[in-house]
Amino acid sequence: MLKKLFKYEWKASSRLLLAVYGIVILFSILSRIFMEVSGINGSEEAGLPILETIAALFLMLSVVMLCCSVVFTWVFIAYRFYKSVFTEQGYLTNTLPVTQQQIIVAKGLVGVIWQIVNLLLVMISFFIIAATPKDLGMIFRAIPDLFKLFVNPDIGLTMWMILAAVILSPFTMVMEMYMCVAIGKLLNGHKVLGAVGTYAGIYAVQQIIAIIVMAATSVRYVSVDYNTTSEQAQGWVLNFVNINLVMGIVLGAILLVVGYLVTKHIMTKKLNLQ
């Protein structure tokens, strides 16, 4: 049943998101075409002024649509969860022979995948608009060097923690949005405002903790003087980065677990579709 839930959620969400992403890619391609024709990309032959204007307009629209696609993906993930669980459609969802855990996991995995797809969309659009064959060649040649950093005795641990933080991030974000939607549903008459306010409150607490941790771990830099060697300075910087990465991973994991437990509790004990 979990597989069927995942399949249904993927189909239901892909109709709109794939259309939005397709439009973004189309505008990126058009931007690149007009940039090449007009010479706005730095080629020696300048094009007609009207073509340069059109190219600049398409470039601006592409950037705006890319930014909107990121925000739209986040909002749509939260909206899909709200609509299919806490509205009239929730009568069908919550009467299926599945547990609340399966519902959260199926919808959450789809949300995580869409965040990854959206990230790939941003990268692909950027390459379409700005990258040259030379740039792509440099990137491909740099990939083996990037993998070597993970076994580097000096920064290998840092690279692995960065990778862990990157992997954890979409899961935490999705569960955070689900928790905010669930809490907002408890506030009858102010569901959207409650969800937005909850998200803003959690974000503010996260930033306060991050500032405190950064301030506490950067105190040692006050003692840096002219006698400090470059190796010592690099070691301090690496320790500073590592400590903040650990705190970020820990906070993300806590938020992931708390978000899941709160969402499941509200779906199990506080669900009211009236």
Side-chain angles (χ1 to χ4, degrees), residues 5 8-9 79-100 103 107 185 267 271-274:
L5 275 174
Y8 172 79
E9 183 66 21
Y79 173 74
R80 274 292 309 167
F81 182 71
Y82 168 76
K83 182 179 179 181
S84 61
V85 176
F86 295 112
T87 65
E88 293 181 355
Q89 194 178 71
Y91 285 107
L92 174 61
T93 302
N94 291 284
T95 53
L96 293 173
V98 295
T99 64
Q100 281 74 20
I103 294 173
K107 293 181 178 297
K185 181 62 176 67
M267 290 177 61
L271 186 64
N272 182 7
L273 302 180
Q274 295 180 355

Side-chain angles (χ1 to χ4, degrees), residues 24-259:
V24 173
I25 292 294
L26 175 62
F27 270 80
S28 299
I29 295 173
L30 292 174
S31 297
R32 184 58 180 261
I33 291 174
F34 279 103
M35 287 172 65
E36 292 289 341
V37 173
S38 66
I40 198 175
N41 61 339
S43 61
E44 296 181 358
E45 296 183 2
L48 297 175
I50 183 64
L51 292 178
E52 294 180 357
T53 302
I54 295 175
L57 179 61
F58 269 104
L59 179 60
M60 181 183 67
L61 289 175
S62 296
V63 173
V64 171
M65 292 188 67
L66 269 176
C67 296
C68 290
S69 72
V70 175
V71 177
F72 181 80
T73 300
W74 294 344
V75 174
F76 185 77
I77 291 172
Y79 173 74
R80 274 292 309 167
F81 182 71
Y82 168 76
K83 182 179 179 181
S84 61
V85 176
F86 295 112
T87 65
E88 293 181 355
Q89 194 178 71
Y91 285 107
L92 174 61
T93 302
N94 291 284
T95 53
L96 293 173
V98 295
T99 64
Q100 281 74 20
Q101 178 180 345
Q102 290 175 318
I103 294 173
I104 296 172
V105 170
K107 293 181 178 297
L109 286 177
V110 172
V112 168
I113 292 174
W114 279 122
Q115 287 199 68
I116 297 173
V117 172
N118 186 245
L119 176 61
L120 294 175
L121 172 74
V122 173
M123 296 172 61
I124 292 171
S125 297
F126 174 78
F127 285 134
I128 291 175
I129 294 172
T132 64
K134 182 180 179 180
D135 296 330
L136 294 176
M138 292 176 61
I139 292 173
F140 286 124
R141 287 192 297 271
I143 291 177
D145 295 331
L146 178 62
F147 284 110
K148 291 179 182 179
L149 294 177
F150 286 90
V151 295
N152 187 297
D154 296 324
I155 63 172
L157 178 61
T158 303
M159 295 300 298
W160 282 108
M161 286 195 294
I162 292 174
L163 180 61
V166 170
I167 294 175
L168 179 64
S169 177
F171 290 92
T172 301
M173 291 180 63
V174 169
M175 202 52 58
E176 181 181 357
M177 287 188 290
Y178 284 2
M179 178 176 63
C180 293
V181 170
I183 293 175
K185 181 62 176 67
L186 299 177
L187 305 177
N188 294 328
H190 304 281
K191 299 180 181 65
V192 176
L193 183 60
V196 174
T198 302
Y199 184 85
I202 294 174
Y203 179 80
V205 171
Q206 286 178 293
Q207 295 306 306
I208 291 173
I209 295 175
I211 292 173
I212 293 174
V213 173
M214 291 182 66
T217 54
S218 61
V219 171
R220 190 172 184 180
Y221 291 96
V222 178
S223 62
V224 174
D225 54 29
Y226 292 106
N227 295 323
T228 303
T229 64
S230 60
E231 290 77 10
Q232 288 176 324
Q234 291 175 4
W236 291 349
V237 170
L238 199 58
N239 288 335
F240 173 79
V241 173
N242 288 344
I243 292 173
N244 283 274
L245 280 173
V246 170
M247 290 301 301
I249 293 172
V250 171
L251 289 176
I254 292 174
L255 186 58
L256 173 63
V257 174
V258 171

